[in-house]
Amino acid sequence: MEANNQALTNAMQALFNLLKSWEPDSTHEQSRCIGKRADLWEHRYEHSLIRLLEHANLPSVAIISSLDIASDSRHLEPRSAALLATKLPQARTVKFDLFDNQRKHPNNNKSARYDFATAVSKLCRPSLREFQMKYYLEDPSNHYFSPPNVLHPSETSLDHLSLALHTLSLSQNLTSLSLDPVCISPSIYWPSGLADPPYWPNIRHHFVGFQMTTPDGRWYFVRDPSAPIDDDEGGGDSSDPDAPPSTDSDSDPDTNSEASRIPDTYRERREAVANGDWPVRMFRTLPDETMINPLLMAMARAAGQMPKLQTMGLSATMTDPSGKAFCVSYVAKELESPTGSDPGDVDTPRIAWRVGSWRPINEILDVWRKEKGVSKIEFEEW
C-alpha cells in the first residue's frame, strides 16, 4: 500500500511541476482528465484509500481555474483531494466525488473524516466561486442497523466535517454550494456557541443532500407508526432474488475450509450483513422531531443571513420503494420554481415541503416568514 501511495505522490509531483512550468504561457484554456481506470478485482480496494505523501513539496499552481476529482475503483483519501486543491490558489470551481463508506471499519472512517475536515476548511478563500462535493457514506439498507459514530475521539462532541464545510461555505465570493450526499449535523448551517451570526454575502444557490444517519451514530428518521410493518421483522430470506450471493464461507467459520485458503476471497453476503446492507429492511420514513427540527431551524436561520439567496434545498437520501421522500425547497421572488409550478408563484418567495403528512413546527416556519419574507408555503403529500 505504501508503494501505491508513493506512486500517486510521484505522479502528482510530476504533474504539478509540469503545470507550474506552463504559468508564463497561460493564455489558453486546457482541460485534462487524468487517471481513470478499472481494476479487475475492485473489491480488494473497497476499504483501501490511496493517499498523497509529502504534499508540502508540491508547487503552488496559479493557472488552474477548475479542479474535478472523482474516485473510481481506487478511492482517493478525502484529505488528499483537499490538499491538492489547496495547491491551486486561483481555482474558482472545485468538485469532489469522494468515498468514505467504511461502516465496517469505523475507526478508519473517523480518521478519514477528521483529516479531510482539517484540510477542506483551508479552501475558504476569495477565489472560490463554486463548490460541489459528494462524500459517500451510504445509508444502511437494514434500518435496524446501528450506524457507526464517525466523530473523532479527540473531541466527541464536535462534528468536525460539518464545521469545516460551514467554514468553507463562508468564502466571501462563493455563489454556489452543493453537498450531496453527505453525513452532517446542524453545524453545517449554524454552529453552536458563535459570538456573531455567520454571513454569506454572495451565496445564491445552496443545496445539501443529507444522509439519513447522523455523525454521532443515530438516525434522522423513525418508523411511521401508521404504516404496516409487513415483513420488516426478522432476518433476510435466502430465497430473495435480490439477496447478495452466498458462499459456503458466509456461514462456515472453519478456517480450514477451501474458501478460507483462497487469497482475497470476497464473501458478499457476509460483507452486506456487516455493513448493514442485508437484510434489506427500509421503514424509516417519518422524521424524528428531536433530530430533524434542530437541522431545519439551523437551515432557516442561515437563509436569513444570505441576502442574495435564490434557491436553497435540503433533501434526505431516502430510497423508499413507495416513493416517500423528505425534501425542503426555497425559491426567491421572481424566480421560477424548479418543479415547474404555476407562473403566479414568482410574485413571492416560497418554500415547498415534500414531507408527506408530517409538518415542521411553527417556529421554523416563522423564521422563514421573518427572515426571507416567505408568504407561500406548500406541503406535498406522498
Side-chain angles (χ1 to χ4, degrees):
M1 187 61 193
E2 194 67 17
N4 291 333
N5 294 336
Q6 190 61 59
L8 172 68
T9 303
N10 293 343
M12 291 298 102
Q13 184 73 55
L15 173 63
F16 272 65
N17 286 341
L18 175 63
L19 295 174
K20 184 70 174 178
S21 70
W22 290 354
E23 285 190 339
D25 183 27
S26 58
T27 58
H28 58 285
E29 182 173 312
Q30 298 192 37
S31 177
R32 292 290 185 268
C33 180
I34 302 168
K36 184 172 179 61
R37 56 170 292 178
D39 290 289
L40 181 59
W41 299 301
E42 68 273 13
H43 287 308
R44 79 170 58 180
Y45 307 120
E46 283 188 346
H47 304 294
S48 173
L49 301 177
I50 193 168
R51 62 190 178 93
L52 182 69
L53 305 175
E54 303 169 356
H55 73 279
N57 294 335
L58 294 178
S60 179
V61 179
I63 64 170
I64 302 298
S65 62
S66 178
L67 175 67
D68 190 340
I69 294 179
S71 290
D72 199 354
S73 55
R74 289 311 307 269
H75 301 299
L76 180 66
E77 174 204 31
R79 172 179 174 268
S80 294
L83 290 176
L84 287 173
T86 63
K87 293 295 181 176
L88 306 175
Q90 296 305 314
R92 297 166 58 92
T93 300
V94 175
K95 300 179 181 180
F96 293 149
D97 189 343
L98 305 173
F99 175 91
D100 195 19
N101 199 40
Q102 303 186 76
R103 293 195 298 268
K104 186 180 174 183
H105 303 279
N107 289 334
N108 292 348
N109 183 283
K110 292 177 182 180
S111 297
R113 184 181 172 95
Y114 175 78
D115 292 343
F116 177 62
T118 302
V120 80
S121 62
K122 299 175 183 177
L123 295 182
C124 179
R125 56 196 186 193
S127 62
L128 190 62
R129 301 294 194 276
E130 178 183 4
F131 183 78
Q132 296 183 22
M133 186 186 78
K134 298 178 180 180
Y135 196 87
Y136 288 100
L137 177 62
E138 295 177 3
D139 298 319
S141 297
N142 180 1
H143 286 185
Y144 290 108
F145 187 77
S146 296
N149 182 328
V150 295
L151 300 180
H152 198 263
S154 63
E155 293 177 280
T156 56
S157 63
L158 293 181
D159 177 13
H160 292 93
L161 182 54
S162 289
L163 290 170
L165 293 172
H166 170 82
T167 298
L168 180 148
S169 75
L170 296 174
S171 298
Q172 66 186 65
N173 293 312
L174 187 70
T175 62
S176 178
L177 179 77
S178 177
L179 309 172
D180 182 24
V182 64
C183 179
I184 51 93
S185 66
S187 297
I188 200 167
Y189 294 113
W190 200 288
S192 60
L194 292 179
D196 299 302
Y199 186 68
W200 295 263
N202 289 298
I203 197 78
R204 289 169 171 78
H205 306 286
H206 192 293
F207 179 79
V208 175
F210 71 106
Q211 308 283 172
M212 294 178 66
T213 59
T214 67
D216 61 356
R218 293 181 287 174
W219 290 86
Y220 275 114
F221 297 85
V222 296
R223 180 196 293 277
D224 185 344
S226 66
I229 293 180
D230 295 330
D231 61 345
D232 288 340
E233 304 293 346
D237 182 357
S238 60
S239 64
D240 188 334
D242 294 325
S246 176
T247 66
D248 291 340
S249 59
D250 280 319
S251 56
D252 182 6
D254 183 4
T255 56
N256 293 318
S257 66
E258 182 178 351
S260 69
R261 296 193 296 270
I262 301 175
D264 298 329
T265 299
Y266 184 74
R267 302 169 176 85
E268 189 167 349
R269 177 75 62 82
R270 184 179 295 179
E271 287 289 311
V273 171
N275 285 319
D277 292 327
W278 180 256
V280 177
R281 295 290 184 263
M282 295 183 179
F283 56 82
R284 294 179 181 269
T285 59
L286 183 68
D288 183 338
E289 295 199 359
T290 62
M291 302 298 300
I292 206 74
N293 281 334
L295 182 65
L296 294 173
M297 180 60 79
M299 175 193 184
R301 294 177 67 194
Q305 298 297 113
M306 302 176 181
K308 297 183 180 180
L309 186 64
Q310 296 179 358
T311 63
M312 191 175 197
L314 179 66
S315 180
T317 55
M318 188 183 297
T319 55
D320 183 76
S322 64
K324 295 178 180 178
F326 183 93
C327 183
V328 183
S329 302
Y330 164 82
V331 182
K333 182 178 180 180
E334 298 181 355
L335 291 177
E336 291 188 8
S337 171
T339 60
S341 56
D342 295 338
D345 283 348
V346 301
D347 294 334
T348 180
R350 56 215 178 273
I351 186 167
W353 299 78
R354 188 184 178 206
V355 293
S357 60
W358 181 83
R359 294 293 181 267
I361 58 176
N362 288 330
E363 289 83 351
I364 292 172
L365 300 179
D366 288 343
V367 172
W368 280 106
R369 295 184 181 103
K370 176 183 177 182
E371 299 294 342
K372 303 304 293 183
V374 170
S375 59
K376 186 174 182 62
I377 299 175
E378 300 176 341
F379 290 97
E380 180 181 342
E381 298 285 347
W382 293 323

